[in-house]
Amino acid sequence: MPIIRVALCVPVDTLFDYQAEDASQHDIGLRACVPFGKKQVTGIILAVSDETQIPIEKLKSAHGIFREIKPLPAALLDLFHFCSQYYHHPLGMVILNGLPVKLRNKKPVSLKRKPHQYQYSLTSSGKNVALTQIPARNRIARRLLSEFQQTETLTSLQIKHISPRAEKLLQDWIQLGWITAEFCLTATAVRVAEIPVLTAEQEIAVNAITADAKRFNTWLLHGVTGSGKTEVYLRIIESVLAQGRQVLVLIPEISLTPQLEGVFRARFSTVPLVSLHSGLNDTERLAGWLQAQRGEAKIILGTRLAVFTPISDLGVIIVDEEQDSSFKQQDGLRYSARDLAIFRARQSAIPVILGSATPSLESYHNALTGRYRHVRLLSRAVQNATLPLIQCIDTRINKTREGLSGPLIQALDQCLQKEHQSLIFINRRGYAPVLLCKSCGWTAPCQRCSSRLVVHLRDKKLCCHHCGHQELFPRACPQCGNQDIAPFGQGTQRVEETLTAHFPAARILRIDRDSTRRKHAWQEILHAVHTHQVDILIGTQLLAKGHDFPNLSLVGILNADGALYSTDFRASERLFAQLMQVAGRAGRANVAGHVLIQTEFPDHPLYQSLQRHDYDALAKTLLAERKMAGFPPYVYQALLRAEAHHIKTVLDFLAQAAQLARPPQAVELFDPVPAHMSRLKGLERAHLLVQSSSRKHLHAFLTGWYAKITALPSQKVRWVLDVDPLEF
Ligand code: ADP
Ligand code: ZN
Ligand code: ZN
């Protein structure tokens, strides 16, 4: 009897064997429901064989194989395999977590489709079928065929009208070659976009990439903000669609999907598009996934998880804002969707385009060394639009009051008078407002994390932004009894209050995680901004990312200095990218842009490069520093992360793991250290860094080490290997 070898979502890196009498090689990639312990679970069949190591009396039988959807394609299974090996994560968990939740259920999925979605046409052999070939008692089939022979094409809805049971017959008829089915879009009215004439730089980029679209290449599309990278994507997508192939577009933030989706729908109004992101419910997600797998959806737009979508005929992958750290998953399987996208492109022999105004130093380095192909857009696309003027306000001279300096207030005032929009950007990394006792220096800590509680002024609450803990403001300082405790540092709410006091007539809109949580919140905000119902926007990181605000002329930046002297070696790179991006929001169309940075260090090289819009100068300086210090991209790193209730347990575990390690000479092993957030959600955290200038040596070492750590007697420690870590 055939044996199926099944990957299950369990934390051990093996496959499980079951008997399945009806299994064949065609079932590889299908789901099977199998007994596991006392439970029934669903897994993916990765092999069918007639041998097993399991003694026959212990071998269990599968409950069943689900065949209602096509098996996962071999290329996707290869991607999962690679991902499991590269990130040292059990294969079954990689696969099952990469699939829509509904496919992990213990039952077949129901494939109800919306009416209208299909149009069926009679083929020439269908035309030759005589009605009498169908037995007279099959009245519905006869009626259906005669309808087809009269009109040649019928939609799902028309077929339903003939009989609710008619559509079932169609699958057989498709098999017989009598009819073909074509997915068609429900007619939604879309505004058709005007297609701009490419700028000379855009044209060079498009030509270079499309001329070499038949093989694998990683392209770094490196274009200043407003240089029209989107238009370059659109032209490349157009040429891929013209060949009938599919397109995968990965973006960092779910909040960017509506905007980009709108752009795509306007340009390709008749092309089926699905967007896959965490804002969808399970049914929507499955529907989108299936449309991609069946080849019906031609454009697949999504956040990092979309990199695992089965796509039958992929022609190009685009990763927009490739430097964004959201492409890296920060728990469980810590994969980088950007890096997996590159793997996928190589596997499919197609181009992958990494777009950015401020590429990650890794990608920039690869472009400089010729491993990636570098295409640049140095000027803005819109005629006469120039890059914004960036200046620093020296806050040692221009003291701030409530976080805002005199020159910034004046600039805001002028902007309001001209009826232009402005944006105040607050860099929150480590700089959220806290409650401070001015007499003893006490600040409110989170009891479960090594972080301070953040002041939420509106509801007079203190919140932990890591674990969600909330409490009310204390009446007095718990340490010294002082009653004069006040918020310190600028939060969005505080700045909003100050600005309201300064400009009572201005329409101010604050944007943060709270105000964007609701469904459609982003669309409403963008609409308000685009229709000029807002004068001043206040926001954090969220606002920096790729939104196009055509009326924005002034950007004020608060609290950026913190990252200049951070212990995190990536802090400067991130700050630069972020400030370039926010600065890029200003002066996008016909309005000249002005950016003011409040800082105590106006002469810092980072701000100097920023003022000159000189990414290359800063990137080269940072690369030289990284090379000297032995940091990525000159070395490859992995972290063994561990957490437990007691720090001793964690450190003991890491010490044990270090003992087992025996790294070869090419691999360097560091001592265990507490994580940057050394306490999180009540758990103590520490890690151990391993690095090597050879990726090959590092991975060979990790494979052996991982197996040894797994074999350690079970401890009360949660651990994971984080390959190419971004956060420490
Ligand atoms: P980026 O993503 O590079 O920052 P966008 O793609 O958002 O830039 O483009 C910035 C603006 O330039 C958009 O308003 C876009 O419509 C416009 N644009 C792009 N290409 C052209 C072009 N060839 N001619 C005129 N306007 C263009
Ligand atoms: Zn005190
Ligand atoms: Zn907390």
Side-chain angles (χ1 to χ4, degrees):
M1 186 181 285
I3 308 290
I4 54 173
R5 318 206 62 203
V6 183
L8 299 177
C9 190
V10 290
V12 283
D13 210 359
T14 61
L15 299 180
F16 296 86
D17 291 1
Y18 296 91
Q19 287 185 327
E21 53 182 356
D22 61 339
S24 77
Q25 294 298 329
H26 300 293
D27 295 334
I28 294 173
L30 285 179
R31 290 169 302 134
C33 184
V34 295
F36 188 75
K38 291 201 176 76
K39 287 188 302 191
Q40 276 184 30
V41 292
T42 293
I44 301 292
I45 303 172
L46 293 189
V48 180
S49 146
D50 31 54
E51 290 171 18
T52 174
Q53 310 284 2
I54 313 279
I56 194 76
E57 66 278 8
K58 287 205 176 154
L59 196 64
K60 293 186 189 156
S61 291
H63 296 303
I65 297 175
F66 299 139
R67 295 194 171 84
E68 80 286 16
I69 58 172
K70 280 196 287 182
L72 300 179
L76 184 67
L77 294 177
D78 283 348
L79 176 72
F80 285 132
H81 265 289
F82 168 77
C83 190
S84 158
Q85 273 168 15
Y86 187 83
Y87 292 105
H88 301 276
H89 204 77
L91 181 60
M93 294 179 78
V94 170
I95 299 179
L96 274 302
N97 289 318
L99 297 179
V101 174
K102 291 238 161 180
L103 295 184
R104 298 176 226 162
N105 286 352
K106 285 174 288 185
K107 50 179 202 264
V109 291
S110 68
L111 297 171
K112 270 192 230 117
R113 288 172 186 164
K114 287 188 203 128
H116 270 325
Q117 272 191 332
Y118 283 85
Q119 179 167 317
Y120 300 93
S121 314
L122 201 63
T123 62
S124 46
S125 59
K127 283 179 200 157
N128 293 330
V129 179
L131 273 185
T132 46
Q133 271 176 258
I134 296 172
R137 66 189 138 81
N138 295 351
R139 290 222 311 277
I140 295 170
R142 277 200 169 187
R143 239 192 93 198
L144 189 62
L145 187 66
S146 79
E147 285 282 338
F148 263 118
Q149 291 181 336
Q150 280 162 35
T151 59
E152 293 200 8
T153 61
L154 290 170
T155 64
S156 314
L157 200 67
Q158 291 169 315
I159 288 165
K160 252 203 192 97
H161 282 311
I162 297 173
S163 157
R165 279 176 294 157
E167 206 162 6
K168 273 209 208 110
L169 294 168
L170 298 177
Q171 294 311 320
D172 295 337
W173 290 10
I174 291 172
Q175 290 290 339
L176 290 167
W178 293 0
I179 55 168
T180 56
E182 201 176 340
F183 186 70
C184 59
L185 206 66
T186 39
T188 40
V190 277
R191 132 193 99 82
V192 176
E194 247 179 66
I195 302 179
V197 178
L198 292 183
T199 64
E201 287 182 329
Q202 284 174 323
E203 194 162 339
I204 292 171
V206 171
N207 289 344
I209 300 171
T210 45
D212 206 0
K214 296 271 184 293
R215 59 184 172 133
F216 166 68
N217 259 310
T218 308
W219 296 85
L220 180 61
L221 178 63
H222 185 176
V224 298
T225 52
S227 59
K229 292 185 285 294
T230 315
E231 188 59 40
V232 174
Y233 302 153
L234 288 169
R235 297 300 175 99
I236 291 163
I237 292 171
E238 190 184 345
S239 83
V240 171
L241 292 174
Q243 300 156 25
R245 307 189 78 183
Q246 292 164 286
V247 175
L248 172 64
V249 182
L250 298 177
I251 48 172
E253 265 280 333
I254 166 174
S255 70
L256 290 170
T257 35
Q259 184 161 336
L260 210 53
E261 200 179 314
V263 170
F264 288 164
R265 288 203 195 279
R267 181 66 61 90
F268 308 113
S269 54
T270 57
V271 177
L273 173 151
V274 291
S275 56
L276 295 171
H277 52 75
S278 58
L280 302 179
N281 66 34
D282 294 345
T283 310
E284 292 167 329
R285 180 165 203 120
L286 176 67
W289 189 95
L290 286 171
Q291 285 175 20
Q293 186 189 34
R294 291 193 293 249
E296 294 158 2
K298 295 298 176 190
I299 301 175
I300 295 104
L301 172 67
T303 47
R304 65 175 176 254
L305 193 62
V307 78
F308 296 118
T309 314
I311 301 173
S312 35
D313 191 12
L314 193 54
V316 70
I317 307 179
I318 292 166
V319 184
D320 192 26
E321 305 292 355
E322 66 89 24
Q323 82 291 349
D324 200 293
S325 57
S326 331
F327 284 121
K328 172 105 174 157
Q329 168 121 325
Q330 291 299 354
D331 52 34
L333 171 66
R334 292 173 172 251
Y335 67 97
S336 155
R338 176 196 62 201
D339 297 349
L340 290 181
I342 296 172
F343 175 86
R344 236 186 132 157
R346 173 178 297 129
Q347 180 192 47
S348 319
I350 55 166
V352 52
I353 303 165
L354 311 181
S356 179
T358 51
S360 64
L361 288 181
E362 282 82 357
S363 297
Y364 184 61
H365 179 68
N366 281 329
L368 292 182
T369 58
R371 186 194 289 221
Y372 292 176
R373 298 181 62 178
H374 204 180
V375 261
R376 302 198 69 153
L377 308 173
L378 298 166
S379 45
R380 289 197 153 180
V382 173
Q383 231 181 0
N384 301 326
T386 47
L387 288 169
L389 172 67
I390 304 181
Q391 292 175 310
C392 288
I393 298 173
D394 188 341
T395 50
R396 292 168 306 183
I397 301 164
N398 299 288
K399 291 273 183 259
T400 60
R401 284 183 50 202
E402 297 287 320
L404 298 164
S405 65
L408 184 56
I409 296 283
Q410 275 163 23
L412 283 167
D413 194 19
Q414 280 168 12
C415 202
L416 282 169
Q417 284 177 21
K418 283 193 242 160
E419 297 188 354
H420 289 166
Q421 287 174 322
S422 43
L423 161 65
I424 297 293
F425 176 74
I426 306 170
N427 184 38
R428 276 274 271 259
R429 254 176 207 274
Y431 267 86
V434 296
L435 204 60
L436 176 77
C437 167
K438 294 233 169 77
S439 95
C440 78
W442 173 87
T443 55
C446 176
Q447 303 299 338
R448 307 177 63 212
C449 308
S450 55
S451 66
R452 299 203 173 97
L453 295 175
V454 175
V455 172
H456 284 229
L457 215 53
R458 178 97 7 115
D459 27 332
K460 292 244 178 284
K461 267 193 192 146
L462 295 169
C463 304
C464 174
H465 282 192
H466 299 283
C467 73
H469 167 80
Q470 295 194 353
E471 60 188 61
L472 293 173
F473 278 17
R475 285 223 186 80
C477 169
Q479 192 162 283
C480 73
N482 174 21
Q483 298 205 341
D484 181 24
I485 45 177
F488 178 78
Q490 285 77 43
T492 47
Q493 297 181 3
R494 188 101 178 278
V495 170
E496 182 183 13
E497 291 190 355
T498 314
L499 286 177
T500 310
H502 269 289
F503 306 111
R507 293 161 304 174
I508 300 177
L509 182 65
R510 178 173 53 83
I511 299 179
D512 52 27
R513 293 266 168 211
D514 295 335
S515 57
T516 54
R517 197 155 292 148
R518 277 180 308 109
K519 215 172 183 177
H520 306 305
W522 263 110
Q523 273 124 305
E524 286 162 24
I525 290 168
L526 293 176
H527 181 73
V529 175
H530 281 273
T531 52
H532 213 146
Q533 300 170 46
V534 179
D535 299 312
I536 304 178
L537 277 160
I538 304 172
T540 56
Q541 277 66 282
L542 279 178
L543 266 185
K545 301 190 178 177
H547 297 287
D548 201 10
F549 299 137
N551 296 314
L552 191 72
S553 74
L554 176 71
V555 173
I557 293 171
L558 316 186
N559 287 346
D561 287 349
L564 293 178
Y565 300 100
S566 162
T567 51
D568 177 354
F569 69 87
R570 282 198 175 85
S572 300
E573 175 187 350
R574 283 206 189 109
L575 179 66
F576 187 80
Q578 193 169 67
L579 295 187
M580 267 297 218
Q581 259 189 348
V582 212
R585 301 305 112 214
R588 309 246 321 158
N590 301 317
V591 186
H594 192 187
V595 179
L596 290 170
I597 305 171
Q598 293 192 165
T599 172
E600 288 184 31
F601 309 96
D603 300 322
H604 193 283
L606 191 143
Y607 294 137
Q608 293 291 321
S609 299
L610 198 67
Q611 290 181 40
R612 295 196 308 268
H613 297 275
D614 196 347
Y615 167 87
D616 296 74
L618 187 79
K620 283 178 179 153
T621 311
L622 294 177
L623 279 175
E625 284 173 19
R626 299 258 188 109
K627 191 169 188 175
M628 287 269 292
F631 283 135
Y634 299 94
V635 297
Y636 302 96
Q637 299 182 319
L639 275 188
L640 174 60
R641 298 178 179 273
E643 58 186 26
H645 285 288
H646 301 288
I647 189 69
K648 188 172 177 307
T649 326
V650 182
L651 293 174
D652 286 351
F653 167 78
L654 290 175
Q656 241 182 323
Q659 283 236 309
L660 292 173
R662 313 217 184 291
Q665 228 183 355
V667 175
E668 210 178 343
L669 188 77
F670 292 80
D671 288 332
V673 287
H676 176 67
M677 280 287 296
S678 58
R679 239 172 102 74
L680 186 66
K681 300 179 187 175
L683 293 175
E684 303 286 340
R685 314 160 79 221
H687 59 234
L688 199 159
L689 174 67
V690 217
Q691 67 179 36
S692 173
S693 57
S694 150
R695 180 171 262 161
K696 210 174 113 206
H697 281 113
L698 179 67
H699 279 268
F701 163 72
L702 289 177
T703 305
W705 192 37
Y706 175 81
K708 288 189 213 163
I709 305 172
T710 314
L712 279 174
S714 81
Q715 301 100 350
K716 296 190 173 82
V717 178
R718 279 212 338 225
W719 64 274
V720 67
L721 271 181
D722 185 354
V723 177
D724 307 326
L726 287 184
E727 279 166 19
F728 286 82

